[in-house]
Amino acid sequence: MLPVHQLPSELLSSILLSASRQDAPQKLPRRSPLHRLAAVSYRWWKTVTLSPIFWTDITSRLESDVGLYLRKSQDAPLNIKCFAGYCNTRTFVETVAGAAHRWRSITLHYNSEDLLDNLPSAMPQLTDMQISTPGGSQSSVPRNILNLQGLVKLRHLCLRNVGFHWENLELEGLLSLRLCRLQHTVPNFTWITAVLQRSPQLQHLALRELEILPESVHTTPTEIQLLQLKSLQLSEVREGISRYLLSTIYSPNLKAFQFVEYIDPRILGYDEILCQAVLKRCIPSVLQNLEKITIRSRSSGTEIEVTSSPAVSNVDDFNSWTPWATSPDSGGLYILFFNHDYTLSENPVITMLSESGLEKATRGEVKLLIQSGLGGRFNPLLLDKLPTLTTLAATNSTDVRGILRHLGECRMQHGTWSYPCPRLETLDIRWANEDVGQGDVDTFFVTRYADAF
């Protein structure tokens, strides 16, 4: 192993660049990490000060060093980050606006109502834009609308409480789009569908808390082909919009899907309604990408999580969904219906999963985690639709007596006598309802595994 002072210049530069971009502890002074690196030795100082790439990340935490970064970066593309609370955000934006022709990315989290007025209209090199505001009163609505031109290189767009004049954008190269809480800027739903139709390369789409009116939702929707789409998140959008998008978006390569909404029978396809579950358009492609499956079922409404990587439901933060969905180690779907009647949507959801190919999705590990709340019950007949189940765990005082009886009954299935869930290896009911007694457990073991003793 080479000593540090003998490292090749290119390798040393890469190491120092990575170190310079680490987040400094909050207790340290708001001083550029480059100052600390450059103070180590003359060689480090020379490497840092003479290479423009070290000076391309300009944040509002730099305060008085912003001008220095602009000079040192020379003509290199810039990554701009502005966060409210670290400095005068208006002054910061005005200072870096003179180099807008070099902006590669802009991340802007602000509280000022008219800060968007300070953004330059032309950013020809911009590939990544993320703008967020806490919202505000109706008086602030007119100032929360961006009016930009071109952005021909834009690849990633994330807006929260910020509107956009979509007709001015060229979106053929857009790879990810995240829109949240646009009700205050009243976007036209026609614009949303037009954006999707004009973004054939889109890989990641997240729409959350949209209250826009679905004035363009037709009975016969026009198909939107997103052949490159890998992740889709629809969370608490207005009723009708999610159904329309699920009916129109064709995405055969989807690997991660999150859906959160109040009960809509046409989404699930109830038996009494003569229609197929709209969700079934998305689920089969997701299941094909799973090597192992974890199913979580909760009673806070109906919450079903099917994933090859744990805790999809914890990835509820708007800014963390895309990193999770783009990870090569994760994939799956998360479905939450807000509904106090636990059984109303649980049955059709699991039925829909079964019909979508859940049984054939994997021959590896398949877990079912039931978290039903105090005194909660899980319909044991649904286990017949999960024949590849290998692990079942019940927590939060779930009443598992019916589950134990069902799993212990040998019955005729497909012409042969067998027990439900023949691949079951682990049954964890340590935290089940206190009414579950030792007799219930003994009866289960005697009836199901009598031949093994």
Side-chain angles (χ1 to χ4, degrees):
M1 182 179 295
L2 288 175
V4 174
H5 67 274
Q6 293 184 11
L7 289 175
S9 298
E10 296 79 3
L11 180 56
L12 176 62
S13 180
S14 298
I15 294 174
L16 294 182
L17 182 62
S18 177
S20 70
R21 290 176 173 173
Q22 298 296 318
D23 292 331
Q26 295 296 325
K27 293 183 180 180
L28 291 178
R30 294 177 185 175
R31 188 92 172 142
S32 165
L34 295 180
H35 290 82
R36 298 189 295 274
L37 294 174
V40 172
S41 68
Y42 173 73
R43 188 187 181 200
W44 285 30
W45 173 86
K46 187 177 179 180
T47 300
V48 168
T49 57
L50 297 183
S51 179
I53 195 173
F54 282 92
W55 305 88
T56 57
D57 292 347
I58 303 180
T59 76
S60 54
R61 291 186 61 182
L62 295 173
E63 296 184 342
S64 59
D65 288 335
V66 172
L68 175 64
Y69 270 63
L70 289 174
R71 292 193 303 272
K72 288 288 189 180
S73 61
Q74 299 180 16
D75 295 325
L78 300 176
N79 303 310
I80 308 297
K81 294 183 178 181
C82 180
F83 301 96
Y86 284 109
C87 68
N88 187 313
T89 54
R90 186 190 307 278
T91 301
F92 174 81
V93 172
E94 290 176 349
T95 302
V96 298
H101 61 286
R102 293 197 284 136
W103 288 8
R104 176 170 52 195
S105 68
I106 171 71
T107 301
L108 181 58
H109 299 271
Y110 67 98
N111 295 320
S112 175
E113 294 183 353
D114 57 352
L115 187 59
L116 294 184
D117 295 342
N118 297 96
L119 285 180
S121 59
M123 294 173 276
Q125 302 300 319
L126 196 70
T127 62
D128 195 327
M129 173 180 283
Q130 185 176 146
I131 300 181
S132 173
T133 173
S137 62
Q138 291 297 324
S139 62
S140 66
V141 170
R143 296 191 180 275
N144 277 353
I145 299 181
L146 284 169
N147 188 9
L148 304 177
Q149 302 291 331
L151 302 181
V152 295
K153 293 188 177 182
L154 190 65
R155 296 295 180 267
H156 308 280
L157 177 61
C158 175
L159 301 177
R160 186 185 186 115
N161 276 324
V162 177
F164 224 109
H165 288 301
W166 304 99
E167 63 272 15
N168 297 332
L169 294 179
E170 299 179 24
L171 302 170
E172 287 75 12
L174 197 65
L175 298 180
S176 69
L177 175 64
R178 292 180 287 164
L179 304 176
C180 179
R181 297 179 184 172
L182 299 187
Q183 58 266 34
H184 295 302
T185 56
V186 196
N188 188 297
F189 186 69
T190 304
W191 291 357
I192 302 295
T193 56
V195 166
L196 298 181
Q197 291 170 339
R198 291 161 48 200
S199 308
Q201 303 301 317
L202 198 64
Q203 296 180 7
H204 307 285
L205 174 62
L207 303 176
R208 295 185 51 131
E209 301 177 52
L210 301 186
E211 296 293 335
I212 56 180
L213 297 174
E215 80 293 334
S216 62
V217 175
H218 307 296
T219 54
T220 307
T222 302
E223 186 172 80
I224 302 174
Q225 291 198 4
L226 298 177
L227 304 182
Q228 307 301 320
L229 195 66
K230 297 179 181 178
S231 72
L232 174 61
Q233 181 189 39
L234 299 177
S235 179
E236 298 178 61
V237 299
R238 187 181 180 91
E239 182 180 355
I241 295 179
S242 58
R243 186 173 67 251
Y244 178 82
L245 290 175
L246 289 172
S247 301
T248 57
I249 293 178
Y250 175 66
S251 51
N253 296 308
L254 200 67
K255 63 167 288 190
F257 175 64
Q258 186 180 58
F259 183 83
V260 178
E261 195 180 67
Y262 289 91
I263 286 295
D264 183 341
R266 287 164 287 190
I267 292 288
L268 290 177
Y270 284 129
D271 293 337
E272 60 268 23
I273 298 179
L274 300 179
C275 65
Q276 188 181 44
V278 178
L279 280 177
K280 289 182 68 174
R281 284 177 59 92
C282 299
I283 293 176
S285 62
V286 174
L287 295 179
Q288 292 173 9
N289 288 289
L290 301 183
E291 297 179 358
K292 60 179 180 179
I293 293 178
T294 298
I295 306 171
R296 299 175 190 266
S297 179
R298 300 183 177 94
S299 63
S300 54
T302 289
E303 188 170 351
I304 304 291
E305 175 183 324
V306 180
T307 174
S308 61
S309 181
V312 183
S313 56
N314 291 335
V315 189
D316 198 34
D317 179 72
F318 188 61
N319 293 323
S320 60
W321 162 251
T322 296
W324 180 88
T326 56
S327 169
D329 299 323
S330 61
L333 60 94
Y334 167 64
I335 304 173
L336 170 61
F337 288 102
F338 298 113
N339 182 11
H340 296 296
D341 186 346
Y342 179 53
T343 61
L344 179 60
S345 56
E346 179 188 57
N347 192 333
V349 168
I350 292 184
T351 299
M352 179 180 57
L353 292 177
S354 176
E355 294 176 351
S356 298
L358 181 63
E359 176 182 350
K360 300 178 181 178
T362 179
R363 290 297 174 184
E365 187 178 28
V366 182
K367 296 182 179 180
L368 172 62
L369 307 179
I370 305 173
Q371 298 168 290
S372 297
L374 186 63
R377 294 179 180 273
F378 178 86
N379 183 1
L381 294 178
L382 295 178
L383 295 175
D384 294 337
K385 299 178 181 180
L386 304 172
T388 56
L389 196 66
T390 58
T391 300
L392 191 154
T395 63
N396 289 32
S397 301
T398 302
D399 190 342
V400 298
R401 288 175 293 182
I403 294 176
L404 293 176
R405 287 193 295 268
H406 185 76
L407 291 175
E409 294 178 2
C410 185
R411 61 177 63 85
M412 178 70 70
Q413 298 184 40
H414 308 293
T416 60
W417 288 92
S418 63
Y419 291 96
C421 305
R423 297 179 61 220
L424 186 66
E425 299 174 353
T426 304
L427 179 63
D428 185 354
I429 57 173
R430 291 173 295 173
W431 308 108
N433 191 290
E434 60 183 9
D435 292 334
V436 180
Q438 186 63 43
D440 299 305
V441 177
D442 292 342
T443 301
F444 162 73
F445 276 105
V446 169
T447 54
R448 185 174 177 110
Y449 299 109
D451 295 339
F453 297 98

